[in-house]
Amino acid sequence: MSASDQLEFRVAIRDALAEELERDPSVIFFGEDIAAAGGVFKATPDLFERFGRERVFDTPISELALAGAAFGAAVTGLRPVFEVMFGDFMGLAMDSLVNQSAKFWYISGEQHSVPLVVRSAVGGGGRFGAIHSQIHGTWFQGVPGLKIVCPSSPAEAKGLLKASIRDDNPVIFLEHKRLYSVKGPAPPADEVLPLGQARLARAGEDLTIVALGKGVADALAAADALAEAGLSAEVVDLRTIRPLDLDTVLDSVSRTQRLLVVEEGPRTGGWSTGLLGQVTERGLHDLDDAWIVATDETPVPYSPTLEDAFMPDAAAITASVRSRLGVGVA
Amino acid sequence: MGSSKTGTSEGTERQARYIDAYARMLLIRAFETAIHRLFLRGEVHGTTHLYAGQEASAVGVCLALEPDDYVAGTYRGHGHALAKGTSPVALAAEMLGRATGVCGGRAGSMNVIDLEHGLIGCFGIVGGSIGAALGAALSAKRQGRVAVAFFGDGATNQGYFHECLNMAAVEALPAIFVCENNLYGEFTPMSAVTAGGDIPARASAYDIPAQSVDGNDLWAVEAAAREAVDRARSGGGPTLIESRTYRHYGHSKSDPGAYRADGELESWLERDPLRLARERLLAEGVSEEILATVEATVEEEIGAAVDEALAAPYPDPGLEQASEFRG
């Protein structure tokens, strides 16, 4: 891999937005500090200068108004993308997303869909404390009509964000803060990935580890460590919480007979619990074992020692597999 | 007497417009009377919030709109839909939960959507219409259209109201915020829960031109709406109109309105918007015969609409091919 095709995650986000703004004049992008300032995570610089304030604009700190504006714009011909800076702020936008955007296609008798995307930075590890570190996907996973996407790498981020902007339905797009500075191979030009199709990130025979977002890199690192101990782990990058690609997970489990789901968040009400339940419902005959590595049932702590212990990482995944499956300490 | 042929013809055209508007108000009243009866018979389900008494508000505003302008209504939205052009048959069928309803029976009384007529939705959450219209105004600005939000006095205490008025003003969007102040938020008088009590003053704080009008006077509402539409279309940004009116029924079908002071309803019935419009049309020379014909025609139309809706089939759960997603 040459240095030139190393793409930074935050640049992948910016490139996806730029390409879709360029391709489709109905795409607009707005949010707090996203235009002139280029975003607090520097994910959206230069878009304002390039596309002008009619298409890319800063807004008041009014998350409910942003969500309402995106909904109303989406049902009248635009394809809005808006940023809610930290996922934790999505509670403020919830009425419009849940009661307006998510339900419109169905309750209108399919008169019109709601093509919008709401991007947010999510997740722990940034020492931001309990109210700037949550992953809000699970707040929305029980709402029919919403798609929830969580990319795991720069190439995935670009292809999935482009897909989300082109999708005719409301999409909640989760960008893990710990990924913004990660670099990886650039995707093929114009690659648009499917929404609702999980990706086999690593093939293996003894165990399936399902993860998404930052968790995929952790699972891959754990799989490397486990391989040294003689255990072959398959890693599935789920990509979307809703729709849930159960078939890919079932297919993997039918070959490995063991399932570990890794979630950065509490298991109660988590996507991991839902996935495990559905795998059990449909694939119990294939299962020798199934369990979850999740966080404690507390808010995300601030202190570095507490937060590091709270977050599932490669070491935690490796340790859990070793103890659960009795894999010898290498 | 017209001073020229043109003047006479303009006068006649103008008169015809208001006769049509009166007919539209009557249509809403007759529709709500019918829905009330159907609710008591168990044909309309859940709950319903009747618009009777507020007709001049929706009809007056929509008189100033073009067919492709956008309207967002409330859960008291039958009047908003009918004023914007929704078919009474399709609307009645929706209330009755029938497959031929404007939303196929999936929406019901509180959530009607009719994009063909620019109705981007009626919203079951207080204030929801304001957010929807803000967004529609983003599109409308590019399309040379305007977007109207109808909402009640109760909504002026929601985050939607303050966040969206501010953003509409900052972006100078072609939005018209129509607050139908009917004095009660559900069962509670506005005065008990609304600090300051002055709704236009709230808009003024956001530098949005605002005025109060007699919401039972079709002509007054229309004039205010025209001014707002002209401002919006010419790039002058949003306007707030407080339309002071009154609902004849309680908040919803579970509310007999027992909290109203003695004589309050009666005094508002004196100023029934239909009565005011009828008196003015008569004073302007429209004949009793013409008005009687209009009234009989509307009664007949609603009777036929209800019959047609009642004869329509319910959606068959076995045939529903609903998907949560498009595509």
Side-chain angles (χ1 to χ4, degrees), chain A residues 224-277:
Chain A
D224 282 344
L226 292 165
E228 286 173 23
L231 186 134
S232 165
E234 180 149 304
V235 176
V236 173
D237 176 356
L238 198 58
R239 284 180 170 157
T240 57
I241 300 174
R242 187 180 190 100
L244 194 65
D245 181 4
L246 195 55
D247 289 341
T248 293
V249 177
L250 285 168
D251 177 64
S252 175
V253 168
S254 74
R255 287 181 281 104
T256 65
Q257 271 83 51
R258 298 184 189 89
L259 172 64
L260 164 61
V261 189
V262 179
E263 176 165 9
E264 185 187 323
R267 76 192 61 214
T268 305
W271 61 265
S272 56
T273 318
L275 177 65
L276 204 130

Side-chain angles (χ1 to χ4, degrees), chain B residues 25 28-29 32 49-61 74 76-77 79-80 83 150-153 178-184 215-218 221 243-251 260 268 271-274:
Chain B
M25 290 165 63
I28 296 170
R29 178 68 56 87
E32 296 296 58
H49 306 74
L50 301 175
Y51 195 72
Q54 303 186 184
E55 293 88 346
S57 191
V59 173
V61 169
T74 68
R76 194 181 307 288
H80 304 138
F150 288 103
F151 53 92
D153 45 282
V178 181
C179 176
E180 301 182 313
N181 182 355
N182 61 18
L183 305 180
Y184 294 92
N216 285 13
D217 178 343
L218 175 72
V221 175
S243 173
R244 303 180 75 99
T245 183
Y246 197 77
R247 51 169 156 79
H248 290 175
Y249 295 94
H251 165 70
R260 295 168 158 176
W268 277 94
R271 304 204 60 262
D272 184 323
L274 297 183

Side-chain angles (χ1 to χ4, degrees), chain B residues 251-305:
Chain B
H251 165 70
S252 66
K253 290 314 302 165
S254 61
D255 169 30
Y259 43 80
R260 295 168 158 176
D262 284 348
E264 184 179 283
L265 174 60
E266 289 69 21
S267 80
W268 277 94
L269 288 175
E270 292 283 309
R271 304 204 60 262
D272 184 323
L274 297 183
R275 180 171 166 176
L276 296 184
R278 195 178 205 283
E279 284 169 359
R280 175 148 173 184
L281 288 170
L282 282 171
E284 291 185 354
V286 179
S287 72
E288 179 64 44
E289 290 72 20
I290 288 177
L291 294 179
T293 306
V294 166
E295 287 153 7
T297 307
V298 166
E299 280 300 323
E300 221 170 275
E301 185 185 350
I302 289 298

Side-chain angles (χ1 to χ4, degrees), chain B:
Chain B
M1 306 293 120
S3 56
S4 71
K5 269 191 175 171
T6 314
T8 308
S9 143
E10 271 175 12
T12 312
E13 239 173 66
R14 186 184 134 82
Q15 209 164 62
R17 267 168 52 75
Y18 290 107
I19 293 170
D20 283 350
Y22 175 62
R24 183 69 60 169
M25 290 165 63
L26 282 169
L27 185 83
I28 296 170
R29 178 68 56 87
F31 184 89
E32 296 296 58
T33 305
I35 292 299
H36 181 57
R37 272 202 306 269
L38 290 165
F39 187 89
L40 297 177
R41 274 171 47 189
E43 294 277 4
V44 173
H45 312 279
T47 189
T48 191
H49 306 74
L50 301 175
Y51 195 72
Q54 303 186 184
E55 293 88 346
S57 191
V59 173
V61 169
C62 290
L63 264 184
L65 300 180
E66 297 299 326
D68 59 1
D69 287 328
Y70 301 113
V71 161
T74 68
Y75 52 85
R76 194 181 307 288
H78 310 167
H80 304 138
L82 292 170
K84 194 65 178 56
T86 297
S87 139
V89 183
L91 190 63
E94 188 63 34
M95 312 290 103
L96 295 166
R98 305 307 167 102
T100 56
V102 61
C103 299
R106 291 185 186 172
S109 168
M110 289 192 274
N111 308 299
V112 172
I113 297 157
D114 182 12
L115 285 178
E116 188 190 335
H117 293 98
L119 183 74
I120 59 172
C122 294
F123 295 89
I125 299 288
V126 170
S129 58
I130 306 174
L134 173 74
L138 282 170
S139 296
K141 190 176 184 180
R142 292 159 169 78
Q143 298 160 339
R145 302 177 187 175
V146 304
V148 175
F150 288 103
F151 53 92
D153 45 282
T156 66
N157 294 324
Q158 283 280 39
Y160 270 123
F161 176 85
H162 295 278
E163 292 189 17
C164 295
L165 262 68
N166 178 63
M167 189 164 156
V170 166
E171 292 295 318
L173 294 179
I176 300 167
F177 301 106
V178 181
C179 176
E180 301 182 313
N181 182 355
N182 61 18
L183 305 180
Y184 294 92
E186 303 222 354
F187 306 174
T188 303
M190 177 201 161
S191 57
V193 291
T194 309
D198 184 343
I199 291 166
R202 293 183 172 199
S204 301
Y206 299 114
D207 208 19
I208 293 176
Q211 63 170 307
S212 286
V213 296
D214 178 352
N216 285 13
D217 178 343
L218 175 72
W219 286 263
V221 175
E222 187 208 5
R226 271 195 196 287
E227 195 182 317
V229 168
D230 289 346
R231 180 177 295 121
R233 281 204 217 284
S234 62
T239 302
L240 179 133
I241 298 167
E242 180 193 28
S243 173
R244 303 180 75 99
T245 183
Y246 197 77
R247 51 169 156 79
H248 290 175
Y249 295 94
H251 165 70
S252 66
K253 290 314 302 165
S254 61
D255 169 30
Y259 43 80
R260 295 168 158 176
D262 284 348
E264 184 179 283
L265 174 60
E266 289 69 21
S267 80
W268 277 94
L269 288 175
E270 292 283 309
R271 304 204 60 262
D272 184 323
L274 297 183
R275 180 171 166 176
L276 296 184
R278 195 178 205 283
E279 284 169 359
R280 175 148 173 184
L281 288 170
L282 282 171
E284 291 185 354
V286 179
S287 72
E288 179 64 44
E289 290 72 20
I290 288 177
L291 294 179
T293 306
V294 166
E295 287 153 7
T297 307
V298 166
E299 280 300 323
E300 221 170 275
E301 185 185 350
I302 289 298
V306 167
D307 287 346
E308 188 179 336
L310 278 168
Y314 283 100
D316 180 346
L319 295 178
E320 277 275 295
Q321 297 203 324
S323 164
E324 63 174 305
F325 298 122
R326 175 177 190 168

